Amino acid sequence: MNQNLNNVGIYVHIPFCPSKCGYCDFYSIPGADESLMEGYTKAVLAHIGEAAQFTGKNAKTFGRAADTVYFGGGTPAFLGIVRLKKLLAGLRKGYHISKGAEITIEANPDTVTLRTLKKLRKAGFNRISFGIQATQPDLLDTLGRAHDTQSSADAVRNAAAAGFDNISADIMYGIPGQKWADLEETLHTVFTWGVRHISLYGLKLEEGTPLYEKNPIFPSDEEQAECYLNAIGLLEGNGFLQYEISNFAQQGFACRHNSKYWDLGPYMGFGASAHSDLGNRRYAYVKDIQEYINGVNDSNSIMQEMHEIKMVERAGEYVMLGLRTTKGISSNEYTRLFNVSFDSLEVKLERCAKWKLCTRSGDRWRLTPQGFLVSNQIIGELLNPMASETAVPGD
């Protein structure tokens, strides 16, 4: 658990993309409205400048340093190199970005060229995450992706040529029509491109997304479980060690920014729909670009939600987020941090262990790959004070 409040992560939300994927429920809008992009960039810069007065490097009592910066979206690269450089320069002006900071940008393979990637690298971005998802044309078409396998390969190799050593690829399983052979082929293909990090996500459709409305036939739970468990073995056999339910990395290339979320580290968000967790308070900003721009420009509130995080809530987050990682949770750390007994949790975890859903090493509990498959159910039982000590998966 990271409690060093002088070492934060910074997230910048870029809610623009060339087109909306059929499964996406993140806040983003498709199309290149140059005027809106320009207005949004200026608003985010103003937001950064205002916040820096109280939390930045020149703040007298509450100054922060950041060792990770993450531009997510949407498709951040779609904003354009000039605006991205301005935003990164604004962050450097307001905050001390530590030497060796991890600075990530998300991109789709079809939104970057070698020239763009060189400019991004020169601007200071040193980690890039590509939304690859699959390498089969029919599966990409199902997802509504605009790129193909060749453009994915070109994007990754161009990123390496531009000086990016830390390259990540997002891959999906559970796509309608996908078999294990498809996922296996995708992973083997991506291995040859030289990525350092792979995020392996199960496709979950939210109501209201275009693909949800089509009511597609998904692979069965058994087929999805086979894909996930087989993929873990294949990834680890090729040097990608699992460190979180959905994330695998070569040695030294785990995503430091996302790890802040799982370790309860402090982070600050900028932009429409962005979130912050700072000083035991959580903030969420309005989920509307124009409302965000107007609020910043007119000095009105852009806050959609703010609440103080109570100790019991933080204790629950420690369990929920910690069990997403292969590091797991520590009974001694839990008791020390939250001054409550771990006994009731331990009883339930011991029951899970009998079904090989978790393991214990010393005082630390971790979910097994089989446990990761039903992690939501396990965590729900652990955090439900009304659940009986035997009401755990497997009974």
PDB file of all heavy atoms in Angstrom, residues 136 178-189 191 234:
ATOM      1  N   GLN A 136      -7.411 -11.423 -35.980  1.00  0.00           N
ATOM      2  CA  GLN A 136      -8.260 -12.049 -36.987  1.00  0.00           C
ATOM      3  C   GLN A 136      -9.218 -10.984 -37.555  1.00  0.00           C
ATOM      4  O   GLN A 136      -9.914 -10.307 -36.774  1.00  0.00           O
ATOM      5  CB  GLN A 136      -9.075 -13.206 -36.395  1.00  0.00           C
ATOM      6  CG  GLN A 136      -8.248 -14.411 -35.976  1.00  0.00           C
ATOM      7  CD  GLN A 136      -7.456 -14.185 -34.698  1.00  0.00           C
ATOM      8  OE1 GLN A 136      -7.891 -13.449 -33.810  1.00  0.00           O
ATOM      9  NE2 GLN A 136      -6.293 -14.811 -34.606  1.00  0.00           N
ATOM     10  N   GLN A 178     -14.932 -16.128 -31.090  1.00  0.00           N
ATOM     11  CA  GLN A 178     -13.514 -16.411 -30.829  1.00  0.00           C
ATOM     12  C   GLN A 178     -13.323 -17.782 -30.186  1.00  0.00           C
ATOM     13  O   GLN A 178     -14.091 -18.170 -29.292  1.00  0.00           O
ATOM     14  CB  GLN A 178     -12.937 -15.327 -29.925  1.00  0.00           C
ATOM     15  CG  GLN A 178     -11.432 -15.434 -29.678  1.00  0.00           C
ATOM     16  CD  GLN A 178     -10.973 -14.420 -28.640  1.00  0.00           C
ATOM     17  OE1 GLN A 178     -11.595 -14.259 -27.592  1.00  0.00           O
ATOM     18  NE2 GLN A 178      -9.891 -13.722 -28.948  1.00  0.00           N
ATOM     19  N   LYS A 179     -12.310 -18.498 -30.619  1.00  0.00           N
ATOM     20  CA  LYS A 179     -11.911 -19.776 -30.031  1.00  0.00           C
ATOM     21  C   LYS A 179     -10.520 -19.617 -29.415  1.00  0.00           C
ATOM     22  O   LYS A 179      -9.815 -18.645 -29.679  1.00  0.00           O
ATOM     23  CB  LYS A 179     -11.892 -20.884 -31.089  1.00  0.00           C
ATOM     24  CG  LYS A 179     -13.205 -21.072 -31.837  1.00  0.00           C
ATOM     25  CD  LYS A 179     -14.297 -21.571 -30.923  1.00  0.00           C
ATOM     26  CE  LYS A 179     -15.585 -21.839 -31.705  1.00  0.00           C
ATOM     27  NZ  LYS A 179     -16.709 -22.249 -30.815  1.00  0.00           N
ATOM     28  N   TRP A 180     -10.123 -20.617 -28.623  1.00  0.00           N
ATOM     29  CA  TRP A 180      -8.783 -20.575 -28.040  1.00  0.00           C
ATOM     30  C   TRP A 180      -7.726 -20.507 -29.129  1.00  0.00           C
ATOM     31  O   TRP A 180      -6.731 -19.785 -29.003  1.00  0.00           O
ATOM     32  CB  TRP A 180      -8.530 -21.782 -27.145  1.00  0.00           C
ATOM     33  CG  TRP A 180      -7.054 -22.032 -26.908  1.00  0.00           C
ATOM     34  CD1 TRP A 180      -6.334 -23.146 -27.236  1.00  0.00           C
ATOM     35  CD2 TRP A 180      -6.116 -21.118 -26.321  1.00  0.00           C
ATOM     36  NE1 TRP A 180      -5.021 -22.997 -26.890  1.00  0.00           N
ATOM     37  CE2 TRP A 180      -4.846 -21.764 -26.318  1.00  0.00           C
ATOM     38  CE3 TRP A 180      -6.207 -19.838 -25.807  1.00  0.00           C
ATOM     39  CZ2 TRP A 180      -3.699 -21.156 -25.831  1.00  0.00           C
ATOM     40  CZ3 TRP A 180      -5.062 -19.224 -25.300  1.00  0.00           C
ATOM     41  CH2 TRP A 180      -3.830 -19.878 -25.316  1.00  0.00           C
ATOM     42  N   ALA A 181      -7.932 -21.203 -30.238  1.00  0.00           N
ATOM     43  CA  ALA A 181      -6.946 -21.180 -31.321  1.00  0.00           C
ATOM     44  C   ALA A 181      -6.740 -19.760 -31.843  1.00  0.00           C
ATOM     45  O   ALA A 181      -5.628 -19.382 -32.220  1.00  0.00           O
ATOM     46  CB  ALA A 181      -7.382 -22.107 -32.450  1.00  0.00           C
ATOM     47  N   ASP A 182      -7.803 -18.955 -31.864  1.00  0.00           N
ATOM     48  CA  ASP A 182      -7.686 -17.561 -32.312  1.00  0.00           C
ATOM     49  C   ASP A 182      -6.849 -16.748 -31.341  1.00  0.00           C
ATOM     50  O   ASP A 182      -5.955 -15.990 -31.741  1.00  0.00           O
ATOM     51  CB  ASP A 182      -9.073 -16.914 -32.437  1.00  0.00           C
ATOM     52  CG  ASP A 182      -9.956 -17.596 -33.456  1.00  0.00           C
ATOM     53  OD1 ASP A 182      -9.444 -17.932 -34.542  1.00  0.00           O
ATOM     54  OD2 ASP A 182     -11.150 -17.790 -33.157  1.00  0.00           O
ATOM     55  N   LEU A 183      -7.144 -16.889 -30.053  1.00  0.00           N
ATOM     56  CA  LEU A 183      -6.393 -16.142 -29.046  1.00  0.00           C
ATOM     57  C   LEU A 183      -4.932 -16.581 -29.027  1.00  0.00           C
ATOM     58  O   LEU A 183      -4.018 -15.745 -28.922  1.00  0.00           O
ATOM     59  CB  LEU A 183      -7.018 -16.335 -27.663  1.00  0.00           C
ATOM     60  CG  LEU A 183      -6.339 -15.612 -26.501  1.00  0.00           C
ATOM     61  CD1 LEU A 183      -6.291 -14.106 -26.738  1.00  0.00           C
ATOM     62  CD2 LEU A 183      -7.044 -15.929 -25.177  1.00  0.00           C
ATOM     63  N   GLU A 184      -4.700 -17.878 -29.160  1.00  0.00           N
ATOM     64  CA  GLU A 184      -3.339 -18.397 -29.195  1.00  0.00           C
ATOM     65  C   GLU A 184      -2.566 -17.800 -30.364  1.00  0.00           C
ATOM     66  O   GLU A 184      -1.409 -17.366 -30.227  1.00  0.00           O
ATOM     67  CB  GLU A 184      -3.370 -19.917 -29.290  1.00  0.00           C
ATOM     68  CG  GLU A 184      -2.004 -20.570 -29.278  1.00  0.00           C
ATOM     69  CD  GLU A 184      -2.093 -22.084 -29.379  1.00  0.00           C
ATOM     70  OE1 GLU A 184      -3.055 -22.584 -30.011  1.00  0.00           O
ATOM     71  OE2 GLU A 184      -1.198 -22.771 -28.852  1.00  0.00           O
ATOM     72  N   GLU A 185      -3.212 -17.757 -31.527  1.00  0.00           N
ATOM     73  CA  GLU A 185      -2.578 -17.187 -32.713  1.00  0.00           C
ATOM     74  C   GLU A 185      -2.270 -15.701 -32.502  1.00  0.00           C
ATOM     75  O   GLU A 185      -1.186 -15.218 -32.849  1.00  0.00           O
ATOM     76  CB  GLU A 185      -3.491 -17.356 -33.924  1.00  0.00           C
ATOM     77  CG  GLU A 185      -2.927 -16.766 -35.215  1.00  0.00           C
ATOM     78  CD  GLU A 185      -3.912 -16.887 -36.367  1.00  0.00           C
ATOM     79  OE1 GLU A 185      -5.030 -16.321 -36.268  1.00  0.00           O
ATOM     80  OE2 GLU A 185      -3.559 -17.540 -37.364  1.00  0.00           O
ATOM     81  N   THR A 186      -3.220 -14.968 -31.920  1.00  0.00           N
ATOM     82  CA  THR A 186      -3.004 -13.543 -31.661  1.00  0.00           C
ATOM     83  C   THR A 186      -1.806 -13.332 -30.754  1.00  0.00           C
ATOM     84  O   THR A 186      -0.940 -12.491 -31.023  1.00  0.00           O
ATOM     85  CB  THR A 186      -4.267 -12.920 -31.025  1.00  0.00           C
ATOM     86  OG1 THR A 186      -5.315 -12.896 -31.990  1.00  0.00           O
ATOM     87  CG2 THR A 186      -3.998 -11.501 -30.551  1.00  0.00           C
ATOM     88  N   LEU A 187      -1.744 -14.084 -29.658  1.00  0.00           N
ATOM     89  CA  LEU A 187      -0.640 -13.909 -28.708  1.00  0.00           C
ATOM     90  C   LEU A 187       0.698 -14.249 -29.352  1.00  0.00           C
ATOM     91  O   LEU A 187       1.678 -13.506 -29.197  1.00  0.00           O
ATOM     92  CB  LEU A 187      -0.881 -14.762 -27.467  1.00  0.00           C
ATOM     93  CG  LEU A 187      -2.023 -14.288 -26.558  1.00  0.00           C
ATOM     94  CD1 LEU A 187      -2.300 -15.312 -25.465  1.00  0.00           C
ATOM     95  CD2 LEU A 187      -1.699 -12.930 -25.940  1.00  0.00           C
ATOM     96  N   HIS A 188       0.760 -15.358 -30.074  1.00  0.00           N
ATOM     97  CA  HIS A 188       2.022 -15.731 -30.734  1.00  0.00           C
ATOM     98  C   HIS A 188       2.450 -14.648 -31.732  1.00  0.00           C
ATOM     99  O   HIS A 188       3.642 -14.341 -31.857  1.00  0.00           O
ATOM    100  CB  HIS A 188       1.866 -17.076 -31.446  1.00  0.00           C
ATOM    101  CG  HIS A 188       2.082 -18.264 -30.558  1.00  0.00           C
ATOM    102  ND1 HIS A 188       3.274 -18.499 -29.898  1.00  0.00           N
ATOM    103  CD2 HIS A 188       1.244 -19.286 -30.220  1.00  0.00           C
ATOM    104  CE1 HIS A 188       3.173 -19.622 -29.196  1.00  0.00           C
ATOM    105  NE2 HIS A 188       1.953 -20.109 -29.364  1.00  0.00           N
ATOM    106  N   THR A 189       1.486 -14.077 -32.438  1.00  0.00           N
ATOM    107  CA  THR A 189       1.802 -13.012 -33.393  1.00  0.00           C
ATOM    108  C   THR A 189       2.351 -11.784 -32.678  1.00  0.00           C
ATOM    109  O   THR A 189       3.373 -11.213 -33.092  1.00  0.00           O
ATOM    110  CB  THR A 189       0.544 -12.630 -34.192  1.00  0.00           C
ATOM    111  OG1 THR A 189       0.073 -13.770 -34.910  1.00  0.00           O
ATOM    112  CG2 THR A 189       0.852 -11.510 -35.181  1.00  0.00           C
ATOM    113  N   PHE A 191       3.773 -11.614 -29.793  1.00  0.00           N
ATOM    114  CA  PHE A 191       5.100 -11.887 -29.216  1.00  0.00           C
ATOM    115  C   PHE A 191       6.209 -11.503 -30.198  1.00  0.00           C
ATOM    116  O   PHE A 191       7.259 -11.000 -29.795  1.00  0.00           O
ATOM    117  CB  PHE A 191       5.250 -13.374 -28.866  1.00  0.00           C
ATOM    118  CG  PHE A 191       4.382 -13.856 -27.740  1.00  0.00           C
ATOM    119  CD1 PHE A 191       4.019 -15.198 -27.655  1.00  0.00           C
ATOM    120  CD2 PHE A 191       3.917 -12.985 -26.757  1.00  0.00           C
ATOM    121  CE1 PHE A 191       3.229 -15.666 -26.619  1.00  0.00           C
ATOM    122  CE2 PHE A 191       3.116 -13.445 -25.714  1.00  0.00           C
ATOM    123  CZ  PHE A 191       2.761 -14.789 -25.649  1.00  0.00           C
ATOM    124  N   LEU A 234       0.617 -19.656 -21.565  1.00  0.00           N
ATOM    125  CA  LEU A 234       1.342 -19.257 -22.770  1.00  0.00           C
ATOM    126  C   LEU A 234       2.138 -17.973 -22.524  1.00  0.00           C
ATOM    127  O   LEU A 234       3.309 -17.858 -22.937  1.00  0.00           O
ATOM    128  CB  LEU A 234       0.361 -19.054 -23.920  1.00  0.00           C
ATOM    129  CG  LEU A 234       0.953 -18.643 -25.268  1.00  0.00           C
ATOM    130  CD1 LEU A 234       1.951 -19.696 -25.760  1.00  0.00           C
ATOM    131  CD2 LEU A 234      -0.154 -18.453 -26.299  1.00  0.00           C
TER     132      LEU A 234
END
